[in-house]
Amino acid sequence: MARKNLIGISDSPAPPGDRERPAVARPIAGLAPNHRTSGLVGGITKSLTNITQKVERAEELERRLAQGHAIVELDPSLIDASFITDRLGVAPGAQAALVEQIRDHGQQVPILVRPHPTEKDRYQVAYGHRRLAAVREIGGKVKAVIRELSDEQLVISQGQENNARTDLSFIERALFAARLEERGFSRDTIMSALGVDKAALSKMITLVNRLPVEIIEAVGAAPGFGRRRWIELADLLDREGQRSKALGFVAEPAFSMSESDQRFEKLFAFLSVTKERPKAETWLAPDRSRAVRIRETDSETTLAFSKKAAPGFADFVRQRLEALYLEYQQETGD
């Protein structure tokens, strides 16, 4: 279900009193109008323009959603978070910038809430969690639109608002999808919330199921890394003993001190270290037969007796292990 159809808006020009903008029809999640710009600067400019326009379209959607509904001011203490988490934390710098923006210019766009399904005289956020947190920090009332929403409508609104803002990283979207499925939401509902097709959704959920949730939460949003790199991390974790090593690594206090992208890189590098191959050599008997092969690692030395080169030699040594050990103790003084 497209976001536009869900909330009943059109591409007609914004009404008087709304933010002034050209009366140009454009798709809700479309790209910027085609224009040619050469060079690295042009590529960066185009990328920034697309991001800015997506944010503006999300704000426009929210304003139009608010039309026909009363915007009220609510005590933030009466508002609870959504029943499903879609974020793996917010960068402190980004949240601080939002706080300053609202402090300087006021809350320009209302949040969307519904009457709490189980708590009388309380509300639950569909979207606008960051704005709510910012107003709580500043103090005062938060502007909100109150709508009756089913659980399905709430998660679709929550997911589509983030999609319009390009606001969640790949792993946040994938984890959001997996959590929705765990709660019993249909894949059709999840596809509407995330704006993905059936194949993409299946790949997202499959990948999350390969990753310990403790690892995902410890790494965080990792906005710089997409599906391919997370698959590579899952492949590393599938190796024998790697999961327990990774869980111990991310639990170290120093790990959480880095930014999320850096945490991903550190964990990936830690798991990618190739173990030094054990040293191996062949012991040549006085008759030049290759009777014993010796393998040595940091923790042990292994003797492999060749039954072909020296039949019965292994039993011979085994029977004399006690005498050899006593001789070893005498030589070392142990």
Side-chain angles (χ1 to χ4, degrees):
M1 181 186 306
R3 180 181 180 90
K4 182 167 64 177
N5 293 336
L6 173 71
I7 62 176
I9 67 168
S10 67
D11 286 324
S12 58
D18 203 351
R19 173 187 287 186
E20 292 185 4
R21 60 181 67 250
V24 178
R26 54 188 176 188
I28 183 58
L31 300 174
N34 292 331
H35 60 279
R36 296 179 179 269
T37 313
S38 61
L40 178 60
V41 173
I44 295 173
T45 301
K46 182 176 180 181
S47 177
L48 292 174
T49 300
N50 287 343
I51 293 171
T52 301
Q53 289 183 343
K54 285 190 175 185
V55 171
E56 290 176 349
R57 283 198 290 276
E59 293 175 349
E60 185 72 12
L61 279 171
E62 292 163 347
R63 288 191 181 91
R64 294 194 182 191
L65 176 62
Q67 291 172 7
H69 297 82
I71 298 178
V72 299
E73 293 189 341
L74 298 175
D75 184 340
S77 67
L78 299 177
I79 305 173
D80 296 322
S82 170
F83 60 86
I84 189 78
T85 303
D86 56 13
R87 291 184 183 276
L88 288 168
V90 177
Q95 187 63 22
L98 179 61
V99 169
E100 287 306 307
Q101 179 184 349
I102 293 177
R103 195 193 307 274
D104 293 341
H105 305 289
Q107 182 191 346
Q108 300 298 312
V109 181
I111 67 174
L112 178 63
V113 302
R114 70 172 180 176
H116 200 290
T118 59
E119 301 286 339
K120 186 178 181 181
D121 298 327
R122 295 192 65 80
Y123 304 91
Q124 194 172 58
V125 180
Y127 58 69
H129 290 82
R130 289 182 58 205
R131 276 163 279 170
L132 176 61
V135 172
R136 280 179 173 151
E137 181 175 338
I138 295 168
K141 301 292 183 70
V142 63
K143 295 177 182 178
V145 171
I146 304 172
R147 294 187 66 193
E148 293 286 348
L149 298 170
S150 65
D151 286 352
E152 287 78 10
Q153 289 170 327
L154 184 142
V155 299
I156 289 173
S157 297
Q158 183 177 350
Q160 290 187 346
E161 195 263 355
N162 282 323
N163 286 341
R165 291 178 177 274
T166 319
D167 214 11
L168 297 183
S169 69
F170 166 79
I171 197 62
E172 285 178 310
R173 286 161 50 81
L175 185 59
F176 183 50
R179 284 172 169 168
L180 288 175
E181 186 166 70
E182 286 176 1
R183 283 182 167 267
F185 289 96
S186 70
R187 291 215 169 181
D188 285 341
T189 297
I190 303 172
M191 286 188 290
S192 295
L194 291 175
V196 297
D197 61 25
K198 188 175 183 179
L201 177 60
S202 179
K203 291 175 182 177
M204 294 167 80
I205 293 176
T206 298
L207 176 57
V208 169
N209 290 338
R210 294 180 59 197
L211 296 162
V213 68
E214 299 91 343
I215 297 291
I216 297 175
E217 291 177 343
V219 170
F225 299 95
R227 175 173 167 267
R228 182 180 62 81
R229 294 302 306 278
W230 279 97
I231 289 176
E232 292 174 356
L233 181 63
D235 290 341
L236 290 174
L237 288 166
D238 283 343
R239 297 178 183 175
E240 184 179 357
Q242 292 284 70
R243 291 197 174 206
S244 59
K245 282 178 54 180
L247 289 169
F249 184 71
V250 302
E252 295 177 2
F255 183 78
S256 62
M257 302 298 291
S258 305
E259 295 291 334
S260 182
D261 279 347
Q262 294 175 326
R263 293 198 295 268
F264 183 98
E265 290 174 337
K266 286 182 178 180
L267 178 60
F268 195 93
F270 173 73
L271 295 176
S272 298
V273 174
T274 304
K275 281 187 176 181
E276 184 179 351
R277 297 186 66 179
K279 298 176 182 178
E281 61 179 296
T282 300
W283 177 73
L284 292 177
D287 61 2
R288 310 305 293 172
S289 64
R290 298 177 180 273
V292 182
R293 185 168 179 80
I294 306 169
R295 294 177 70 253
E296 187 170 6
T297 67
D298 291 339
S299 59
E300 64 180 13
T301 300
T302 304
L303 303 180
F305 295 87
S306 171
K307 291 184 177 181
K308 182 178 179 180
F313 186 43
D315 288 336
F316 180 85
V317 172
R318 185 185 296 116
Q319 293 169 7
R320 286 162 176 74
L321 280 177
E322 184 175 345
L324 289 171
Y325 189 73
L326 290 173
E327 184 180 345
Y328 156 74
Q329 287 184 317
Q330 290 174 0
E331 289 286 339
T332 61
D334 290 346

